[in-house]
Structures are given as C-alpha cells and as structure tokens.
C-alpha cells in the first residue's frame, strides 16, 4: 500500500526558511578582525541569501556548478552558504592555510567558476587566478577589490526569488580532506545527508540546541562542514556569534558580552584559553556547553571544564562523516556515577548517534571484525547515511560491499558501544613488536600542570624498531625538566611507553584545522638519533 504522508525533499534551504519564519529576529553577530561588531538576524541572512541566488543567475552560474569560498567566520560567509546551496549550486569551502599548489589543484579539480574571499586572502587569490583558468569571478566579502564587493554585488537584487528545487540527493556542499597522503580528496555532501546530520546534532543527547542557545563556533567555516553548526543553528533557531580572531582575551570578552552558551573548538583552543586565564587571573565565562573534536581531548581539560560547571561534549568524526558520528552523551546511569567516572565518560569519543554505526577490525584484515570488549584495538570503520560512499570524481567507491568506510583511526569499542580512539594508524609507534599509542602518551603529558601541549612520534631505534620522542611546549614562566616529566609519566603510562627523549620546543606544528601536524613533526626530527 502507498504511504499517505506528504512527500517533501529534504533540502538545506528548508532550514533557513524555518529559521527566518520562526526565529527571524534571532541575532547573527560578527566580531571582525579590527574589533568592529556587525549584527543581522536569520531573516536578514535569508534575504541576503535570496539576493545571492539572483546574482548567481545573473552571471549564469547554474545548479550543480561549484562555487568556492576562501574565508573565515562571519555573517556574510553564512549568507553565502545558504545562497549558493539555495541556488542549487555546490558550496565549496576552501582552506586558506593550504599551500598554493594544493589550493590550485583543489580549485581546478572542483572546476570552481566563482570564488568569494576575505580581503585578508587577496594575496592568495592573486596567486591563484593565473593558475585556475576556469575561475572567472572573484568577489570580496569585506572590502572593494577589483571593482566589486559582496554587499555591492547583491545590493542591486530585490530578494524576490525562489530557491532551486530538486531531489534531496542532489549535491549541496564539497569539502576536501587535508591531503596528508597524496592529493586532497573531495567529499560531496547531499542535501539529504546534511538535513539528517542536522536533526541528529540538535538533539538533547547531542548538542542540545534550542532557540535560547547562543553558539560560538571557533572551528573555522572551511573545516569539515564547520561541524554542521550553520545548518544546526538554523534548524534550532539559535543565535550565532562569529569571531575573526581566536585571541583568548577577545574570545572571553565576546562570550560575556553576547551571552554565549555553546562553544565549539579543537583542544588547542582550550589549551590557549586556560593559559590565558592562569596568566591574567581571569575566570572562564559562564558558558554551558563545550563541543570539542578534531583531536582527542585530554582528561585534564575535560575535568577542568566540568569543575567549572560546563557540559563537555566530545565528538568524533571526520570530513567523510559530515563530520559528527559519535558524541559523549550521558548514559542512563550518569547520575549514579562518581565525578571521576563521569570524567572518564567525557574523555572518550562517546557513542554513535542514530545514523552512524562503528566497528573495529583487525589491522591486517579489514574484514575480520573484533570484539567490542573495551580492550581489543583495531582499525575503526564507520557507515551511515551521512558517511561518504565515493570521493568526488573517483572511479571506485571508498567503502566495501557492506558500506563500511575505513577511517584510518585505531580504536577500542566497549560493550556499551563507547568508542575510545588510541591513535591514527600512521601515528602508532611500534616498539619491539608492540604498539604504543601516541595519543594516550600525549594526553598523559598534558596532564602535568606545567605542560601546555605535547606531541609524540616514533623515532627509528637500532634494537626496538621505534621508540617514542615527546616534543613538549611548557607553560610560560615554568622551568620543567625532562627528568621531572619522565617521573610524572612513570605513574601514568606503562613503563615501556616512557619516551626515550623529551624535547622542549617553543611551539608545535598544526594543520589548518588546528590538529597536531605529525607529518611536519616527523620531518623536523627526521635526522634525530636515539642511543642504542
């Protein structure tokens, strides 16, 4: 028998329609790099997005074509997200922190015809234009460049337009991976996948977003679908606050002035925030929830946030999973747990949301599933309706016949489904035939009160194949010695995990998304020798 419910295609333009209709006056705030603050609301974002639809049609940018943005976090960029996708085009967010040759390859591979960019990135755009023959237009978001800017470009439109309609399985967004091995790979999200991901994210057990929420995404808009927050905040009617600077003092001021309740950022954000508060004697603003991901969050960071009354939601995912697949929601017996047990829950990578499934398989056999016993580690695989099936323009699927996608992570899964990442497969340190988790070693080191950040890599060893080297950034003004840190670690990790060398450095290399750049660190210590 046929179903009798209305048949609506799930498209992201429906999210902004809902936000403007039901929460039109809810603010969208941008703090620019010069300290100026501008304000609009969801109704204004929808109006500008519809003007952008008209402007794209005026220059013959058609549905299905890719439109790139090279920009940081602000309201105009948000309007572009909805205008580009609402026109039926594919929003292509480009990471400005990549090398020129990677940027040119990405723009050419995507065949972008139009690029929106921030004035700060004009030097990059000037270098890109001669290398990208199909890139016909470049329009600046925040100043007049080459005769036009974003506001002026859409100002001649009246906004009396309609969204492009079509199948919910049509593409709406394109994100490229960081390309740690080979060229970056493009991940194409569909309207359907993004709406389903959004509905899972806003639930109380996940991000708990509502109209009274005030969300500050510190994660940049070019990274991993900006963790889905531009879509989720529209669906829930939340106020959004954007900042073009990640300076801890400016962020703390912005949080207090705008009443921020939810903050999203990688762990390095919290390292910097805590260092700033310790140095200035300040207190954490009265935020209610922290969403952190991109790298494992040390238990010491989780504990500090929880003691301040903050709900910590650690999420795991990747560009290929839209990006969130698991979150640390509170289990049924949460209220009966000790504080230490609660910290342990929040220091994991959580459990799958509805719409994501995970499993671990043998490192040498991706078809041999391992038990969910919390001890047996293996290669992590994931599948679900917002997980990639095939990379953009690839000839073959990226999944096996049962739709399992290999993530490149190593993990254990507990009997209750809790995921605990132990490393990336390429970052594991193999010593004497046994594996050492660089992530767990780093997290243990960051627990020392004088350590700001730490990174562990394997160094070739004449007897043990590899041994750990630990690179450490000390907090300002401390004189932590290697022997003292070794003694501290001796009580935290297995004896044979202890690093053979500790190097104190001024800073550690990071990727464009704020993760530790182990590839760069290995290059830095390529000639390092350990004693036999």
């Amino acid at each position: 028998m046929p179903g009798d419910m209305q048949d609506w295609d799930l498209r992201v333009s429906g999210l902004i329609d809902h936000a403007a209709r039901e929460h039109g006056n809810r603010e969208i705030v941008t703090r620019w790099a010069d300290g100026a603050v501008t304000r609009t609301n969801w109704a204004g974002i929808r109006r500008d997005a519809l003007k952008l639809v008209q402007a794209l049609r005026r220059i013959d940018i058609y549905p299905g074509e890719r439109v790139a943005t090279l920009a940081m976090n602000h309201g105009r960029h948000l309007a572009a997200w909805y205008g580009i996708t609402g026109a039926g085009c594919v929003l292509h967010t480009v990471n400005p922190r990549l090398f020129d040759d990677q940027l040119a390859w990405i723009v050419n591979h995507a065949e972008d015809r139009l690029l929106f960019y921030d004035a700060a990135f004009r030097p990059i755009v000037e270098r890109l234009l001669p290398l990208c023959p199909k890139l016909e237009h470049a329009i600046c978001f925040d100043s007049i460049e080459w005769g036009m800017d974003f506001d002026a470009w859409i100002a001649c439109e009246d906004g009396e337009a309609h969204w492009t309609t079509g199948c919910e399985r049509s593409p709406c967004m394109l994100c490229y991976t960081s390309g740690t091995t080979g060229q970056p790979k493009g991940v194409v999200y569909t309207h359907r996948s993004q709406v389903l991901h959004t509905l899972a994210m806003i639930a109380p057990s996940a991000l708990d977003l509502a109209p009274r929420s005030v969300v500050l995404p510190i994660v940049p808009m070019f990274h991993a679908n900006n963790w889905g927050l531009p879509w989720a905040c529209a669906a829930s009617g939340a106020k959004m606050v954007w900042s073009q600077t990640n300076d801890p003092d400016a962020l703390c001021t912005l949080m207090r002035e705008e009443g921020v309740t939810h903050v999203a950022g990688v762990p390095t954000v919290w390292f910097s925030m805590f260092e700033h508060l310790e140095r200035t004697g300040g207190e954490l603003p009265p935020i209610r929830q922290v969403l952190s991901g991109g790298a494992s969050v040390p238990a010491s960071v989780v504990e500090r946030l929880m003691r301040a009354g903050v709900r910590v939601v650690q999420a795991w995912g990747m560009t290929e999973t839209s990006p969130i697949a698991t979150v640390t929601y509170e289990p049924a017996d949460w209220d009966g747990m000790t504080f230490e047990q609660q910290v342990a829950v929040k220091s994991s990578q959580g459990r799958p949301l509805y719409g994501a499934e995970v499993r671990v398989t043998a490192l040498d056999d991706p078809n041999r599933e391992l038990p969910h016993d919390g001890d047996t580690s293996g290669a992590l695989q994931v599948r679900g309706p917002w997980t990639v099936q095939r990379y953009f323009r690839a000839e073959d699927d990226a999944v096996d016949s049962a739709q399992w996608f290999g993530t490149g992570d190593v993990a254990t899964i507990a009997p209750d489904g809790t995921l605990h990442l132990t490393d990336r497969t390429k970052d594991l340190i193999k010593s004497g035939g046994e594996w050492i988790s660089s992530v767990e070693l780093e997290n243990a080191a960051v627990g020392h009160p004088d350590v700001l950040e730490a990174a562990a890599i394997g160094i070739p060893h004449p007897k043990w194949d590899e041994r750990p080297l630990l690179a450490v950034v000390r907090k300002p003004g401390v004189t932590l010695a290697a022997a003292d840190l070794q003694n501290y670690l001796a009580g935290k990790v297995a004896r044979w995990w202890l690093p053979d060398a500790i190097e104190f450095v001024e800073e550690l290399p990071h990727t464009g998304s704020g993760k530790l750049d182990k590839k760069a660190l290995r290059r830095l210590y390529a000639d390092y020798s350990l004693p036999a």
Side-chain angles (χ1 to χ4, degrees):
M1 61 177 282
D4 292 326
M5 305 307 290
Q6 297 181 23
D7 187 12
W8 290 56
D9 282 301
L10 302 176
R11 294 179 69 90
V12 296
S13 50
L15 302 175
I16 188 65
D17 282 346
H18 169 78
R21 182 177 59 248
E22 308 298 338
H23 310 284
N25 291 328
R26 203 68 171 118
E27 282 191 314
I28 310 297
V29 180
T30 302
R31 184 190 185 280
W32 298 89
D34 62 2
V37 174
T38 57
R39 300 177 186 274
T40 181
N41 52 35
W42 281 115
I45 294 295
R46 182 180 185 273
R47 180 185 61 249
D48 286 350
L50 283 167
K51 289 182 177 182
L52 180 54
V53 169
Q54 294 174 303
L56 291 172
R57 291 170 180 164
R58 171 163 39 97
I59 61 171
D60 298 323
I61 300 292
Y62 302 109
E65 295 195 271
R66 275 70 68 193
V67 178
T69 63
L70 188 73
M72 298 303 289
N73 297 359
H74 51 78
R76 293 184 187 119
H77 198 177
L78 180 64
W81 274 50
Y82 281 101
I84 293 166
T85 55
C89 300
V90 181
L91 168 67
H92 175 203
T93 51
V94 180
N95 184 345
R97 296 168 182 166
L98 297 177
F99 295 114
D100 283 2
D101 59 343
Q102 290 178 305
L103 289 170
W105 189 91
I106 287 171
V107 169
N108 287 327
H109 188 257
E111 295 187 341
D112 297 320
R113 289 181 54 204
L114 168 63
L115 170 69
F116 293 104
Y117 68 97
D118 286 347
F121 301 133
R122 176 170 180 169
I124 297 175
V125 178
E126 289 177 330
R127 297 193 299 270
L128 274 182
L129 288 175
L131 303 175
C132 303
K134 293 189 177 181
L135 191 57
E136 302 169 16
H137 310 278
I139 298 173
C140 187
F141 273 125
D142 50 344
S143 70
I144 296 177
E145 303 274 350
W146 296 309
M148 66 177 72
D149 72 302
F150 181 79
D151 284 347
W153 194 62
I154 66 172
C156 57
E157 311 295 347
D158 60 13
E160 297 297 321
H162 299 283
W163 308 121
T164 295
T165 58
C167 175
E168 64 183 16
R169 287 175 168 82
S170 299
C172 74
M173 191 171 183
L174 174 61
C175 285
Y176 280 78
T177 64
S178 56
T180 53
T181 56
Q183 292 289 6
K185 298 181 180 71
V187 180
V188 182
Y189 308 131
T190 66
H191 286 266
R192 177 178 183 269
S193 72
Q194 291 305 280
V195 174
L196 292 176
H197 182 263
T198 296
L199 295 177
M201 282 184 64
I202 64 178
S205 60
L207 269 63
D208 192 21
L209 293 178
R212 62 179 183 157
S213 303
V214 182
V215 182
L216 170 62
I218 301 176
V219 57
M221 294 183 77
F222 55 75
H223 173 57
N225 191 25
N226 203 31
W227 295 1
L229 290 167
W231 313 127
C233 289
S236 59
K239 172 180 173 179
M240 296 202 80
V241 179
W242 302 100
S243 176
Q244 285 208 315
T245 175
N246 289 345
D247 173 70
D249 184 49
L251 287 176
C252 284
T253 299
L254 190 62
M255 291 178 200
R256 293 188 180 96
E257 290 179 347
E258 299 300 330
V260 169
T261 60
H262 293 57
V263 183
V266 296
T268 51
V269 167
W270 304 108
F271 298 157
S272 299
M273 183 72 70
F274 293 155
E275 188 278 326
H276 164 74
L277 295 176
E278 290 170 2
R279 178 168 39 84
T280 61
E283 295 184 358
L284 190 70
I287 56 177
R288 294 206 311 262
Q289 180 171 297
V290 160
L291 171 65
S292 194
S296 181
V297 184
S300 57
V301 173
V302 172
E303 180 177 351
R304 182 162 180 177
L305 287 167
M306 289 178 63
R307 288 196 183 281
V310 178
R311 180 186 185 229
V312 177
V313 178
Q314 183 167 185
W316 171 81
M318 54 202 313
T319 304
E320 289 89 341
T321 60
S322 298
I324 295 178
T326 69
V327 296
T328 53
Y329 55 81
E330 295 79 5
D333 58 347
W334 175 261
D335 292 333
M337 290 181 174
T338 66
F339 181 74
E340 290 72 21
Q341 290 172 327
Q342 292 178 342
V343 169
V345 168
K346 293 295 184 174
S347 300
S348 72
Q349 278 66 52
R351 297 163 68 181
L353 297 170
Y354 171 74
E357 299 177 37
V358 296
R359 72 174 187 176
V360 288
T361 63
L363 291 172
D364 58 356
D365 183 358
N367 296 312
R368 180 163 66 89
E369 186 171 356
L370 299 176
H372 294 187
D373 58 13
D375 295 317
T376 306
S377 64
L380 178 63
Q381 297 180 346
V382 62
R383 66 180 180 182
W386 57 77
T387 297
V388 69
Q389 176 165 319
R390 179 179 296 194
Y391 289 109
F392 183 51
R393 291 188 165 160
E395 295 183 358
D396 301 312
D397 284 350
V399 298
D400 66 14
S401 59
Q403 300 293 295
W404 288 109
F405 173 76
T407 66
D409 284 312
V410 180
T412 64
I413 301 177
D416 68 355
T418 298
L419 176 69
H420 184 80
L421 292 188
T422 59
D423 224 322
R424 294 286 292 171
T425 53
K426 63 181 181 293
D427 292 334
L428 282 169
I429 301 168
K430 192 169 188 178
S431 180
E434 301 289 343
W435 296 108
I436 297 173
S437 167
S438 66
V439 170
E440 292 188 22
L441 184 56
E442 291 158 3
N443 287 347
V446 170
H448 192 287
D450 292 339
V451 173
L452 181 62
E453 194 173 11
I457 58 172
I459 298 294
H461 190 278
K463 181 178 180 181
W464 303 110
D465 291 334
E466 286 185 323
R467 290 296 299 157
L469 177 145
L470 188 67
V472 175
V473 179
R474 286 178 286 217
K475 290 182 179 178
V478 303
T479 56
L480 178 65
D484 294 331
L485 184 54
Q486 285 278 21
N487 290 335
Y488 173 83
L489 292 172
K492 305 294 181 183
V493 300
R495 184 174 180 81
W496 59 276
W497 280 30
L498 292 174
D500 280 25
I502 295 177
E503 294 290 332
F504 292 103
V505 296
E506 292 296 321
E507 62 181 2
L508 291 170
H510 293 87
T511 67
S513 57
K515 300 178 186 178
L516 286 170
D517 191 341
K518 297 288 186 71
K519 186 177 178 181
L521 198 62
R522 282 190 284 267
R523 285 197 302 266
L524 183 64
Y525 291 104
D527 298 326
Y528 197 93
S529 296
L530 293 172

